[in-house]
Amino acid sequence: AGSAEDSSEAETDLPTPPTKLLAVGKAATVLRSQDGKVWTHADVRIVPGLKFNRTFLDAAAHSDGNRVVLVGRNGVLARSDDGGESIRLGSHSHATGVIVEQLLLGWSLPRALWAVKQTADLPDLKAVAWAGEVVYGVGSRSTLIVSDDSGRTWRKQELILDESLTLWDIVFVTP
């Protein structure tokens, strides 16, 4: 057994984190850290100059360390391709910015409008997880959403459940 001094040191020292940490929260907060001690704000924007002010409830990083998907209140969906340094919205909550971004990427207007329509009327999204190259999100009103393009577009998966049920988390268990 260690002394009281040993246990107090252990309580203040953080375990060695991975090379990138992200924390999400209210008012579009996304914080980044390399060591768990010093934190900076990520650049949360849809298109340059257009700010976003919604609450993120969860984030999940792909095993490549670059792709990150975020979900939150009122159906908020966002993604990052640079490990969370910059966050791009991908939901109806800022449809104009999403359409502009997709048009700048060379998407046709009908395709951009279709992508935004897929996220219309989403409730609060509570959790998100990667399963290989596919991303799943869950939330209020028995919602399950799926993206097979790193969170650029989403589709609702119909579940035969009581709509008053809230799904709080999604975890993939493998043998």
Side-chain angles (χ1 to χ4, degrees), residues 46 94-104 107 109 112-113 116:
I46 328 168
H94 273 290
T96 302
V98 173
I99 291 169
V100 167
E101 179 189 25
Q102 291 169 341
L103 291 174
L104 291 172
W107 290 26
L109 181 58
L113 291 170
V116 169

